[in-house]
Amino acid sequence: MKHPFVLSCFQDWNRTWQTHNPDLTPCFQNTVLVWIPCLYLWLFAPFYILYLKRNDRGYICMTHLNRAKTVIGFTLWLICWADVFYSFWERSHGAAIAPVYLVSPTMLGVTMLLATFLIQYERMKGVQSSGVMLNFWLIAIVCATVTFRSKILHALNEPASVNVFKYTTFYIYYTMLLISLILACLSDQPPLFSQAVKDSNPCPESGASFLSRITFWWITGLMVTGYKRPLEEKDLWSLNTEDKSQRVVPQLVRRWDQECNKVKRSEDGQPIEESEILLAKTLQKTGEPSLFCALCRTFGPYFLVSSLYKIIHDILMFVGPEILRLLIQFVNDSSAPTWHGYFYTTLLFVCTCVQTLILQKYFHVCFVTGMRLRTAIVGAVYRKALVITNAARRTSTVGEIVNLMSVDAQRFMDLITYINMIWSAPLQVILALYFLWQNLGPSVLAGVAVMVLMVPVNAVIAMKTKTYQVAQMKSKDNRIKLMNEVLNGIKVLKLYAWELAFKDKVSAIRESELRVLKKTAYLGAVSTFTWVCAPFLVALSTFAVYVLMDEHNILDAQKAFVSLALFNILRFPLNMLPMVISSMVQASVSMKRLRVFLSHEELDEDNVERPAITACDASLCLFRIHVRIPEGALVAVVGHVGSGKSSLLSALLGEMQKQEGSVSIKGSVAYVPQQAWIQNATLKDNILFGRDAKDSWYQKVVEACALLPDLEILPGGDLTEIGEKGVNLSGGQKQRVSVARAIYCNCAVYLLDDPLSAVDAHVGKHIFEKVIGPQGLLQGRTRVLVTHGLSFLPQADLILVMVDGEITEMGSYTELLGRQGAFAEFLRTYTNTEQEEVEESVGGEAGLLISELLSCFHASVLSHTCSISVSCRQSQISLNAAGTGKTPQKTEPNDVAAAKKAKSTEAARLTEADKANTGRVKLSVFWEYMKAIGLPLSIFSIFLFFCHHLSSLGSNYWLSLWTDDPVINNTQPNREMRLGVYGALGLTQELVIKKCFLVCQPSRYLHQTMLYNVLRSPMSFFERTPSGNLVNRFAKETDTIDSVIPSIIKMFMGSMFNVLGSCAVILIATPLVAIIIPPLGLLYFFVQRFYVASSRQLKRLESVSRSPVYTHFNETLLGTSVIRAFGEQQRFIRESDGRVDHNQKAYFPSIVANRWLAVRLEFVGNCIVAFAALFAVMARDSLSPGIMGLSISYALQVTTYLNWLVRMSSELETNIVAVEKVKEYGDTEKEAEWRLEHSTLPAGWPTTGHIEIRNFGLRYREDLELAISDISVNIEGGEKVGIVGRTGAGKSSLTLGLFRIIEAAQGEICVDGVNIAELGLHELRSRITIIPQVPHLNTPKQCWGKLLLKVMHYNISLLRKKVTNYITKLLFMGSNNGIKYLARALLRKTKILVLDEATAAVDLETDNLIQSTIRTQFEDCTVLTIAHRLNTIMDYTRVLVLDKGQMAEFDSPSNLTAKKGIFYKMAKDSGLV
């Protein structure tokens, strides 16, 4: 026979539910309520112990907190055993004790022992705060609270039957549980030797308590700081170790390599059976490594946690409508106890709060995954860029690769947040339909039919979106590529007055991009129409079928508003699914671009073998090139232009594809490229190049490279910051820094690609003697010197003569001269000019045409990437422009001879870091954006939004009136009219919303303004501003204005009107809420302002720290050959990783701040829901079910709307920073006007070319002294004047003054009697011509047309033969930059021609071609030549000698030689006297 107590365990439901004073039976309390916490802990303990074992974070020393937790755990165990022993004692005295009084305390005691063990095990594994244990104590306290209340009620009602011992032990047990719960909320100290202990500013997340982590309380300290004052970089925490590049990037790279190897293995494998051949062929066709698989394997395990959170959240979403049903049922049932209403309200509040916490943890995991994904992609792209071949480099421009790092990586981040919707949306739809079926029956199938019809519409939209996305990205790539060219060649643009032409070119690409954007906007409007339309049409069709199917089907409040709440849940997945599909389409485009780039061919490390150090010689073997260079020898490589000298060095560096044979180099290698590569760092850092500073060796190197005089005149000495690509150094200074860098590295082998061409003759002689020559610093090292300087050849141990990619002769100087072979021919060529031969053979104007045609040919040939293959012994080696290290680089010679000598840190700085603005975004920025849209259009758009939400509110209010209609004979009499009006109101809102989203985007206006302002900026602006900042404006910020801001404004307006509408409905239904809404509104407003202060600043810091990532990347791309030659790849990878991490340091707090905000705002929303329900319960007698249903269904949505409103308002404020950044270039200093309105300049000016310089001087910056001063020169028309002086004397500064690149600080320059300061810049620059130091932009194709028209008049076969032969010879001339500009000069044919060291980097043969063309073609022009090679100006009318920024000598070359002054010394150094 069963014990009577057990029989009464689960009966008597009336005692619990159908009563005004509810209670649970003693049996239920002593079994279920005791067992629930025990089951929880025993269920999770095995998994938790396994997790702790695998994730050991270190060892935490015993602390007071841990001791307290342990003591309380043992105390609870003792209390449980006391209960067990007491029950045994009672039983021994004959009392009838149910087994449950023995089983439950025993089970609880063992569980408490397990809890104590877990507390200690957590400490040993470094867990500072445990969620598992906190949940255990929380469940235990909740279960014990029910028993606690029952015991108190029992003691009050039946004091005689109280068991004092058991009551005492229970109260002690309850108190201990409460203390355990409080202690579990606290966090322990960090483990020994953890990162948090070592770090000066660690991220507080790892040390935060579980409660702090789930509510994101741990970021509050940073938010308070941000509220008190604008956040700065020093306030940002270090990144968590698992988020850093050094942890994340190698994981992705490793997985990607595995994918690549898998594909290689499948391609190499041969199918055995015939049936497999077809399959194998298919695999080979589509055999591409899967980037998607690599990403999944890298980030999938962590991301799966978010899926778990999402499932829990999705299930909790349907609790709200179910409680709403119970509340409406409660209002309808007047006999229901009042506490039911309060119970439902409490349950609703608790469920919504749990839902909030779960959702925010889900988002946190998603965003952190997105952040890691971006870090990994940027790191992988950077690493790949360092190792791809030159052929592969040509297929991806700098603009495309920058877009991979910015736009494409961002697409992945955006997708990760919502990718779970792919499975979550269908799950939500199925659950919603299930509950709707329960509510409305088969009529819900009408709604399903509507949804099915929407699928093909969304599919078509997604397909079109993909097409537009590809087109837009292509235009964006082209635009960024062109902008890179423009920014790199900005000086040439200004010198030639080409700004407007390139502005039109960029604008044309931008217009095609905007056309696609406009189509996308129209598509977005149709898409939005379907999103908003779908849930309403589902509701309308379902209600219509339900009421029309059977007249006895009554649409009451319970059915209508529970269904409406479910439809509102349905709205989110239906809205999100097309967005997610669209994001996936965009991400698939990005993934393909990334996969193609990451699949590019890499340089083979085996191209160059590195034998053991014990080898005595370095041997080189290329096809038909067999040479053995003794260790320590000085080897000169000579040959005509395009003979393959630079290609030989590239082959030695492993930069070219080896077909057969071997290349072997012993020891470390240093490389000096022909075009110096300079980093944006201090001059000293450029020389040290990551090596340790050794002062004595450093001083020797600087002195040997003739840099000491330059250090004297640089504002900060060797701590002067060098601008991007060395903009504040002259060509010679850059080359000497490049040589110094190579020497300082102290390597075994030196490869020098014509390093002396860009320096003056006497400096070149000094460097050869002190550095390269037999007595130089590099004596005893292996040196391979490509040179055009004949004077150095007698000192070489070995000379290699190259012809057409082959070594035809080798030997010492005397040996080769004696052979009378190719070397002797090479020397003879340099003594006779090619031009004279041409003129003798062809004569007259035809000879000139050859010069012109050859010049123009080079202009065209270099505008395309070409390659030539020289075939020998069945093998090929590709010689291409990209592979020779001759990539054009920007040189902007700023002679700083008279620069300030004060070596202050401030003076040493040149570039300005991208600064973060502080404080609130000014209203003027919003005003600018509205003006860009157009004020009438802006106001009309807001009005349409208002109409849309008004009609939406009207339709739902109408539904509430419908549900309150009286029921007569089981029917509602006016249902057709009600249904018709409801449908009409709904369709009105859909039509309004469709019109609403066709707002034109302001992108055109903002981009055009920025482009114009940037092009109008003076050269000093480009020297100060890193190109990464500018590229960032034209890439990322423009993309934000194009795509992000319009959608944010759309969602902000929608959320704002939704919140206002919801508050209005709740106030109408329950006016008592008016007491609560103002304080909640104030709290909401405070939280929002508190958040935005920090969020806005974090966004600015993130934006500012993004630019250096791109700047460094651009810099790296230009110097990959140098980085690889010095073996510095790992240092540059570390630098890039550091910059990415620095950027993510600002991004991580911003995503956590978003979660912080969401938790608090949703709490405010949950309070509104709770109060709406509470006041509805209190006023149930005077409230109709329809109005109550409407009120609570709106209240359930207000949380989401509030969340979105604040998020969108802060997103708007943080993203509008893009407009602020784009607009800021409007306020910077501008050049003088390009053209003056009332110009009186004659059409043919200048007519004679007479130049008069009076007391002229200029300075580079306001805080510097004059760079040149007191120069007074009178140059007659037609004179040929040479300008000479050592590097930094002010030669280029004078030409910059003539072109007004830098405005005069004193004096004036007059051309044909006109003061150039009174002219428009384009009027001046288009009338005089310059051939500058270093080239950039492609020659227009029109030059071919002009020259070929002339050539057609001369049908001379000899001419054609000469041209063809010479073109073949010059096809791959590395130093043809001067020829390119000569072609431009010929086409412009102005009266004044300036040559700025135009022939410095070419061989004598090409120099002769240029000089002879100038003598004949520009015979009647005034020519100013800045020359390093004095032989080019020895026949000039006069020579101007500059020294330290002032005129030293000015006379004819013969007179100056006779005076034996500065010019005489220079001529002597050059061997001319």
Side-chain angles (χ1 to χ4, degrees):
M1 180 178 165
K2 289 187 180 178
H3 195 279
F5 183 79
V6 177
L7 289 172
S8 64
C9 237
F10 296 101
Q11 63 188 36
D12 204 6
W13 181 245
N14 289 334
R15 177 181 172 181
T16 304
W17 188 250
Q18 300 297 341
T19 175
H20 289 280
N21 189 16
D23 199 7
L24 293 170
T25 61
C27 179
F28 190 89
Q29 291 176 23
N30 283 289
T31 52
V32 176
L33 292 185
V34 172
W35 297 344
I36 286 173
C38 300
L39 286 172
Y40 163 82
L41 195 62
W42 284 101
L43 188 67
F44 281 96
F47 301 105
Y48 189 46
I49 291 167
L50 193 65
Y51 169 79
L52 290 176
K53 195 173 181 181
R54 290 186 176 178
N55 293 274
D56 193 343
R57 298 174 194 172
Y59 181 87
I60 299 175
C61 294
M62 185 68 87
T63 59
H64 293 306
L65 178 64
N66 207 276
R67 286 192 190 97
K69 287 180 181 178
T70 309
V71 168
I72 289 170
F74 275 117
T75 306
L76 285 164
W77 174 67
L78 290 172
I79 289 167
C80 294
W81 282 111
D83 270 354
V84 173
F85 290 135
Y86 182 76
S87 296
F88 275 117
W89 180 81
E90 279 189 314
R91 202 163 189 176
S92 66
H93 286 74
I97 300 298
V100 71
Y101 286 119
L102 295 171
V103 173
S104 290
T106 305
M107 190 174 175
L108 199 59
V110 175
T111 305
M112 291 305 164
L113 209 56
L114 174 64
T116 310
F117 164 75
L118 284 174
I119 288 166
Q120 284 305 310
Y121 194 63
E122 282 174 346
R123 180 181 66 79
M124 292 163 69
K125 293 296 178 182
V127 177
Q128 292 172 259
S129 178
S130 167
V132 172
M133 294 309 297
L134 180 72
N135 287 334
F136 168 69
W137 298 121
L138 183 63
I139 293 167
I141 200 86
V142 168
C143 292
T145 302
V146 177
T147 310
F148 184 74
R149 176 181 172 275
S150 292
K151 285 192 181 293
I152 289 174
L153 289 174
H154 184 254
L156 290 172
N157 296 331
E158 300 175 34
S161 60
V162 169
N163 186 322
V164 178
F165 181 84
K166 288 201 172 181
Y167 269 56
T168 305
T169 54
F170 179 79
Y171 291 144
I172 295 169
Y173 166 77
Y174 187 79
T175 308
M176 291 295 169
L177 282 182
L178 208 57
I179 295 168
S180 289
L181 181 64
I182 294 164
L183 292 178
C185 294
L186 304 176
S187 180
D188 216 331
Q189 67 179 27
L192 292 171
F193 315 115
S194 71
Q195 193 63 38
V197 177
K198 300 176 199 169
D199 209 323
S200 58
N201 191 12
C203 177
E205 183 185 14
S206 57
S209 68
F210 175 75
L211 205 59
S212 176
R213 284 207 299 273
I214 62 170
T215 57
F216 299 94
W217 185 262
W218 52 271
I219 195 184
T220 308
L222 187 71
M223 305 285 282
V224 171
T225 307
Y227 186 67
K228 288 178 180 174
R229 61 169 174 79
L231 289 173
E232 299 167 20
E233 278 187 21
K234 65 180 181 186
D235 299 316
L236 302 177
W237 316 304
S238 302
L239 273 182
N240 291 321
T241 310
E242 55 271 22
D243 297 331
K244 288 184 178 175
S245 296
Q246 65 188 38
R247 172 76 68 86
V248 176
V249 182
Q251 291 175 353
L252 177 62
V253 171
R254 188 171 67 253
R255 306 283 190 200
W256 171 249
D257 289 342
Q258 288 171 3
E259 288 295 320
C260 293
N261 293 334
K262 200 189 297 179
V263 169
K264 280 178 188 169
R265 283 199 302 273
S266 67
E267 286 177 353
D268 294 343
Q270 295 296 319
I272 299 165
E273 296 178 20
E274 285 183 26
S275 58
E276 292 180 7
I277 291 173
L278 191 63
L279 179 63
K281 281 183 179 175
T282 312
L283 280 172
Q284 283 182 0
K285 280 180 188 173
T286 59
E288 293 168 343
S290 170
L291 180 59
F292 177 72
C293 288
L295 290 171
C296 285
R297 290 171 63 197
T298 308
F299 303 106
Y302 177 73
F303 187 65
L304 279 174
V305 178
S306 71
S307 302
L308 181 65
Y309 287 133
K310 191 77 177 106
I311 290 171
I312 299 168
H313 172 260
D314 287 355
I315 293 165
L316 284 173
M317 278 175 74
F318 293 93
V319 173
E322 201 56 30
I323 295 174
L324 173 61
R325 183 178 65 78
L326 294 170
L327 274 168
I328 295 172
Q329 197 174 301
F330 165 75
V331 171
N332 282 332
D333 183 7
S334 56
S335 64
T338 311
W339 72 267
H340 283 191
Y342 297 123
F343 173 73
Y344 293 145
T345 303
T346 308
L347 193 61
L348 185 61
F349 181 68
V350 170
C351 284
T352 49
C353 286
V354 171
Q355 193 179 330
T356 294
L357 296 176
I358 294 283
L359 180 64
Q360 298 320 314
K361 281 303 287 181
Y362 158 73
F363 275 128
H364 182 63
V365 172
C366 288
F367 276 108
V368 169
T369 307
M371 183 181 82
R372 291 178 185 174
L373 188 65
R374 176 175 175 256
T375 298
I377 288 171
V378 170
V381 167
Y382 186 88
R383 284 158 173 75
K384 186 71 179 182
L386 281 174
V387 295
I388 60 173
T389 61
N390 294 306
R393 169 67 52 77
R394 290 199 302 275
T395 63
S396 297
T397 65
V398 174
E400 285 174 351
I401 302 172
V402 167
N403 274 349
L404 287 177
M405 296 178 82
S406 59
V407 180
D408 294 316
Q410 190 66 41
R411 297 250 188 269
F412 279 105
M413 283 180 72
D414 296 341
L415 176 65
I416 281 290
T417 319
Y418 297 109
I419 188 72
N420 274 321
M421 289 305 294
I422 285 295
W423 60 264
S424 173
L427 173 68
Q428 289 179 34
V429 169
I430 290 165
L431 286 172
L433 290 176
Y434 169 75
F435 286 110
L436 281 166
W437 185 283
Q438 296 292 317
N439 209 27
L440 295 173
S443 56
V444 79
L445 292 172
V448 175
V450 171
M451 284 191 288
V452 169
L453 287 172
M454 289 293 175
V455 171
V457 176
N458 286 328
V460 170
I461 289 170
M463 284 167 63
K464 292 297 287 180
T465 305
K466 180 173 183 176
T467 310
Y468 292 149
Q469 179 70 20
V470 172
Q472 188 189 341
M473 289 307 291
K474 189 177 178 184
S475 294
K476 199 187 294 286
D477 285 344
N478 289 337
R479 180 167 58 81
I480 300 301
K481 176 185 175 184
L482 185 58
M483 277 311 303
N484 261 313
E485 283 186 20
V486 167
L487 295 172
N488 285 342
I490 190 68
K491 186 176 179 187
V492 175
L493 248 72
K494 292 192 173 298
L495 289 170
Y496 280 80
W498 283 347
E499 293 101 327
L500 285 172
F502 275 86
K503 177 175 171 285
D504 293 342
K505 203 171 179 183
V506 173
S507 299
I509 298 174
R510 178 69 178 157
E511 282 302 315
S512 68
E513 192 181 342
L514 287 174
R515 279 195 294 275
V516 176
L517 264 176
K518 195 172 182 183
K519 288 177 186 173
T520 310
Y522 279 109
L523 201 63
V526 176
S527 184
T528 306
F529 174 69
T530 59
W531 299 348
V532 177
C533 204
F536 173 75
L537 287 177
V538 169
L540 179 64
S541 57
T542 305
F543 288 155
V545 171
Y546 179 73
V547 296
L548 296 175
M549 192 167 61
D550 186 348
E551 64 178 13
H552 296 298
N553 281 353
I554 294 163
L555 194 67
D556 58 15
Q558 186 177 319
K559 284 187 169 60
F561 287 105
V562 170
S563 300
L564 208 60
L566 289 166
F567 286 136
N568 283 329
I569 289 175
L570 203 57
R571 183 186 294 260
F572 184 72
L574 289 180
N575 282 359
M576 286 306 301
L577 206 52
M579 275 178 65
V580 173
I581 291 168
S582 173
S583 291
M584 286 183 73
V585 166
Q586 292 178 358
S588 69
V589 173
S590 296
M591 188 176 288
K592 185 181 176 186
R593 287 154 53 86
L594 277 165
R595 180 180 53 72
V596 167
F597 179 76
L598 293 174
S599 302
H600 278 326
E601 191 181 4
E602 296 182 7
L603 286 167
D604 188 356
E605 291 180 4
D606 297 333
N607 281 344
V608 178
E609 293 167 13
R610 306 223 175 238
I613 302 298
T614 50
C616 59
D617 289 341
S619 64
L620 320 171
C621 302
L622 278 161
F623 71 81
R624 282 180 70 174
I625 294 180
H626 300 283
V627 59
R628 190 175 181 80
I629 298 174
E631 189 174 1
L634 169 58
V635 180
V637 182
V638 296
H640 292 295
V641 172
S643 58
K645 303 184 294 296
S646 295
S647 299
L648 175 65
L649 295 193
S650 290
L652 293 179
L653 289 169
E655 296 280 312
M656 302 183 77
Q657 193 63 41
K658 183 181 68 177
Q659 299 296 326
E660 66 175 9
S662 65
V663 181
S664 176
I665 294 183
K666 168 195 157 184
S668 54
V669 177
Y671 171 57
V672 180
Q674 190 172 22
Q675 293 288 342
W677 176 68
I678 303 295
Q679 286 182 274
N680 181 198
T682 64
L683 189 136
K684 186 171 185 177
D685 288 341
N686 266 288
I687 295 173
L688 296 182
F689 205 53
R691 266 53 173 194
D692 295 332
K694 298 173 186 172
D695 288 340
S696 57
W697 176 239
Y698 175 76
Q699 289 303 324
K700 279 184 187 175
V701 170
V702 169
E703 188 179 351
C705 293
L707 282 168
L708 285 176
D710 301 293
L711 296 185
E712 288 297 317
I713 59 175
L714 286 170
D718 62 0
L719 297 178
T720 302
E721 186 189 359
I722 309 304
E724 269 192 274
K725 308 184 191 75
V727 292
N728 52 332
L729 296 180
S730 69
Q733 286 169 329
K734 283 197 288 188
Q735 196 62 272
R736 281 180 282 134
V737 169
S738 183
V739 171
R741 173 171 58 212
I743 303 165
Y744 188 82
C745 288
N746 213 1
C747 296
V749 179
Y750 284 82
L751 306 178
L752 311 167
D753 193 354
D754 206 7
L756 305 179
S757 60
V759 297
D760 301 326
H762 65 287
V763 176
K765 185 179 176 186
H766 171 92
I767 291 175
F768 188 83
E769 288 174 356
K770 299 285 185 182
V771 177
I772 303 167
Q775 305 305 314
L777 282 179
L778 300 183
Q779 62 177 321
R781 311 290 167 87
T782 307
R783 290 143 290 163
V784 180
L785 171 69
V786 170
T787 184
H788 293 128
L790 306 183
S791 57
F792 307 133
L793 297 182
Q795 298 181 61
D797 301 321
L798 181 68
I799 298 172
L800 306 180
V801 183
M802 295 201 70
V803 178
D804 295 335
E806 301 176 33
I807 297 176
T808 55
E809 284 185 289
M810 68 174 109
S812 67
Y813 186 78
T814 49
E815 283 174 9
L816 293 177
L817 270 181
R819 287 184 199 163
Q820 291 295 310
F823 181 69
E825 169 68 23
F826 174 75
L827 290 180
R828 275 199 299 275
T829 303
Y830 279 87
T831 56
N832 301 306
T833 70
E834 184 80 0
Q835 184 64 31
E836 289 167 352
E837 291 175 20
V838 170
E839 287 178 1
E840 285 169 12
S841 304
V842 183
E845 196 174 349
L848 292 180
L849 277 175
I850 291 180
S851 303
E852 288 189 37
L853 185 55
L854 292 176
S855 306
C856 197
F857 171 77
H858 284 285
S860 175
V861 132
L862 279 202
S863 67
H864 302 284
T865 308
C866 306
S867 62
I868 183 169
S869 296
V870 185
S871 179
C872 306
R873 288 193 194 167
Q874 303 172 347
S875 67
Q876 298 178 342
I877 185 162
S878 174
L879 307 177
N880 55 61
T884 60
K886 293 177 184 171
T887 311
Q889 293 179 26
K890 184 161 98 179
T891 304
E892 301 187 4
N894 290 357
D895 301 284
V896 284
K900 214 173 180 181
K901 292 187 181 180
K903 307 287 190 281
S904 67
T905 310
E906 196 55 43
R909 284 199 59 73
L910 171 79
T911 54
E912 294 176 350
D914 214 353
K915 291 189 184 71
N917 296 323
T918 55
R920 292 189 66 169
V921 177
K922 296 187 181 106
L923 286 173
S924 60
V925 178
F926 291 97
W927 181 247
E928 282 292 340
Y929 188 79
M930 283 184 74
K931 280 201 299 187
I933 296 172
L935 288 176
L937 200 59
S938 302
I939 294 163
F940 181 61
S941 176
I942 293 167
F943 174 72
L944 286 175
F945 265 107
F946 176 74
C947 293
H948 163 67
H949 286 89
L950 193 65
S951 55
S952 173
L953 199 65
S955 65
N956 286 332
Y957 183 68
W958 183 261
L959 184 64
S960 76
L961 295 176
W962 180 3
T963 58
D964 287 338
D965 277 353
V967 177
I968 302 165
N969 297 326
N970 286 330
T971 60
Q972 286 174 314
N974 298 323
R975 57 185 183 169
E976 285 83 2
M977 182 270 289
R978 293 287 193 191
L979 184 63
V981 173
Y982 179 66
L985 284 167
L987 289 172
T988 306
Q989 60 171 317
E990 313 311 339
L991 293 172
V992 168
I993 200 73
K994 187 171 183 181
K995 293 285 182 191
C996 193
F997 292 118
L998 294 180
V999 177
C1000 295
Q1001 302 185 9
S1003 310
R1004 180 185 286 104
Y1005 168 78
L1006 290 169
H1007 181 271
Q1008 286 297 89
T1009 310
M1010 175 169 66
L1011 181 60
Y1012 179 74
N1013 284 331
V1014 166
L1015 291 175
R1016 278 288 316 282
S1017 300
M1019 275 310 302
S1020 56
F1021 167 80
F1022 296 97
E1023 290 166 11
R1024 288 194 312 269
T1025 311
S1027 65
N1029 292 10
L1030 291 165
V1031 170
N1032 192 17
R1033 299 291 188 276
F1034 284 98
K1036 185 73 176 72
E1037 312 295 4
T1038 302
D1039 186 55
T1040 301
I1041 294 166
D1042 286 350
S1043 312
V1044 180
I1045 294 179
S1047 63
I1048 286 175
I1049 288 176
K1050 178 177 77 175
M1051 289 189 276
F1052 171 74
M1053 298 293 293
S1055 303
M1056 185 176 71
F1057 282 115
N1058 275 328
V1059 168
L1060 293 174
S1062 299
C1063 289
V1065 168
I1066 295 166
L1067 281 168
I1068 291 166
T1070 48
L1072 273 174
V1073 176
I1075 304 166
I1076 296 301
I1077 282 184
L1080 284 177
L1082 284 171
L1083 177 63
Y1084 159 82
F1085 181 75
F1086 171 72
V1087 165
Q1088 198 256 6
R1089 291 321 309 165
F1090 186 77
Y1091 159 78
V1092 168
S1094 299
S1095 169
R1096 179 182 55 230
Q1097 204 57 24
L1098 286 168
K1099 180 78 175 178
R1100 282 169 169 161
L1101 288 170
E1102 191 269 329
S1103 179
V1104 162
S1105 59
R1106 197 188 312 122
S1107 296
V1109 176
Y1110 305 144
T1111 303
H1112 181 251
F1113 186 64
N1114 273 326
E1115 195 172 77
T1116 303
L1117 285 177
L1118 292 170
T1120 44
S1121 57
V1122 176
I1123 295 166
R1124 287 196 288 253
F1126 283 89
E1128 290 288 324
Q1129 295 97 317
Q1130 288 308 313
R1131 181 168 69 84
F1132 275 80
I1133 285 170
R1134 283 196 302 275
E1135 170 69 16
S1136 174
D1137 286 352
R1139 292 188 183 212
V1140 172
D1141 287 348
H1142 187 65
N1143 178 228
Q1144 300 291 36
K1145 263 172 67 177
Y1147 177 72
F1148 179 67
S1150 71
I1151 60 175
V1152 178
N1154 266 332
R1155 307 280 67 79
W1156 179 94
L1157 172 78
V1159 168
R1160 278 136 195 84
L1161 279 190
E1162 290 198 17
F1163 179 74
V1164 173
N1166 295 341
C1167 287
I1168 292 174
V1169 174
F1171 282 115
L1174 181 66
F1175 291 133
V1177 168
M1178 288 165 68
R1180 67 165 168 164
D1181 298 329
S1182 59
L1183 206 62
S1184 74
I1187 291 292
M1188 183 195 180
L1190 180 68
S1191 170
I1192 296 175
S1193 63
Y1194 263 97
L1196 283 169
Q1197 295 176 71
V1198 84
T1199 309
T1200 309
Y1201 295 149
L1202 272 174
N1203 201 355
W1204 273 105
L1205 178 61
V1206 176
R1207 174 140 321 114
M1208 288 307 113
S1209 63
S1210 56
E1211 282 288 311
L1212 182 60
E1213 199 165 336
T1214 48
N1215 278 290
I1216 207 81
V1217 171
V1219 177
E1220 187 180 35
K1221 285 187 170 296
V1222 164
K1223 292 296 294 178
E1224 74 183 15
Y1225 290 140
D1227 304 326
T1228 52
E1229 181 193 357
K1230 297 288 176 285
E1231 283 186 311
E1233 290 296 324
W1234 283 336
R1235 292 194 182 277
L1236 300 179
E1237 286 184 20
H1238 307 292
S1239 176
T1240 56
L1241 198 65
W1245 180 90
T1247 50
T1248 59
H1250 173 255
I1251 302 171
E1252 187 178 357
I1253 303 173
R1254 302 174 193 151
N1255 195 32
F1256 186 74
L1258 58 78
R1259 59 167 56 91
Y1260 282 93
R1261 293 207 310 255
E1262 288 298 323
D1263 57 335
L1264 297 178
E1265 294 174 10
L1266 292 172
I1268 54 174
S1269 60
D1270 303 323
I1271 293 180
S1272 297
V1273 178
N1274 193 4
I1275 299 168
E1276 297 299 329
E1279 270 196 287
K1280 308 289 184 283
V1281 176
I1283 303 171
V1284 298
R1286 78 177 298 284
T1287 302
K1291 305 185 295 292
S1292 291
S1293 299
L1294 189 59
T1295 62
L1296 294 179
L1298 180 61
F1299 281 84
R1300 285 176 63 196
I1301 295 295
I1302 299 171
E1303 296 288 356
Q1306 65 176 45
E1308 61 182 19
I1309 298 177
C1310 293
V1311 175
D1312 282 4
V1314 178
N1315 186 350
I1316 63 169
E1318 296 168 3
L1319 300 175
L1321 292 179
H1322 281 188
E1323 290 172 326
L1324 169 67
R1325 293 170 185 170
S1326 60
R1327 308 291 181 95
I1328 54 181
T1329 303
I1330 185 167
I1331 302 179
Q1333 263 187 329
V1334 173
H1336 278 283
L1337 301 155
N1338 294 330
T1339 307
K1341 292 179 183 175
Q1342 288 85 337
C1343 70
W1344 270 107
K1346 282 195 178 185
L1347 291 171
L1348 289 174
L1349 280 172
K1350 286 189 181 181
V1351 173
M1352 285 169 65
H1353 295 296
Y1354 298 89
N1355 188 16
I1356 302 168
S1357 59
L1358 182 58
L1359 167 67
R1360 191 179 299 113
K1361 185 180 175 187
K1362 282 277 181 184
V1363 170
T1364 308
N1365 290 345
Y1366 206 70
I1367 282 173
T1368 306
K1369 199 182 288 182
L1370 296 181
L1371 183 58
F1372 288 98
M1373 184 178 71
S1375 311
N1376 51 8
N1377 301 328
I1379 294 183
K1380 204 170 172 183
Y1381 280 89
L1382 184 59
R1384 291 174 181 161
L1386 283 164
L1387 291 172
R1388 290 178 80 148
K1389 201 73 194 304
T1390 57
K1391 279 289 177 184
I1392 297 175
L1393 175 67
V1394 180
L1395 280 81
D1396 187 355
E1397 301 176 335
T1399 63
V1402 298
D1403 57 15
L1404 293 175
E1405 179 182 9
T1406 313
D1407 192 3
N1408 288 331
L1409 168 67
I1410 293 172
Q1411 293 300 333
S1412 59
T1413 307
I1414 288 166
R1415 287 189 193 98
T1416 52
Q1417 196 67 13
F1418 295 94
E1419 192 176 1
D1420 57 342
C1421 299
T1422 305
V1423 179
L1424 305 180
T1425 302
I1426 295 172
H1428 278 145
R1429 292 177 177 163
L1430 298 189
N1431 62 307
T1432 60
I1433 57 162
M1434 291 305 280
D1435 59 344
Y1436 275 28
T1437 320
R1438 285 188 288 176
V1439 173
L1440 171 64
V1441 182
L1442 295 177
D1443 187 38
K1444 295 180 181 175
Q1446 295 186 325
M1447 184 174 76
E1449 298 172 354
F1450 185 45
D1451 209 334
S1452 66
S1454 54
N1455 290 348
L1456 290 176
T1457 307
K1459 285 180 187 174
K1460 299 201 171 180
I1462 296 174
F1463 183 77
Y1464 173 76
K1465 287 178 187 172
M1466 293 173 74
K1468 192 175 181 184
D1469 285 339
S1470 300
L1472 298 174
V1473 292

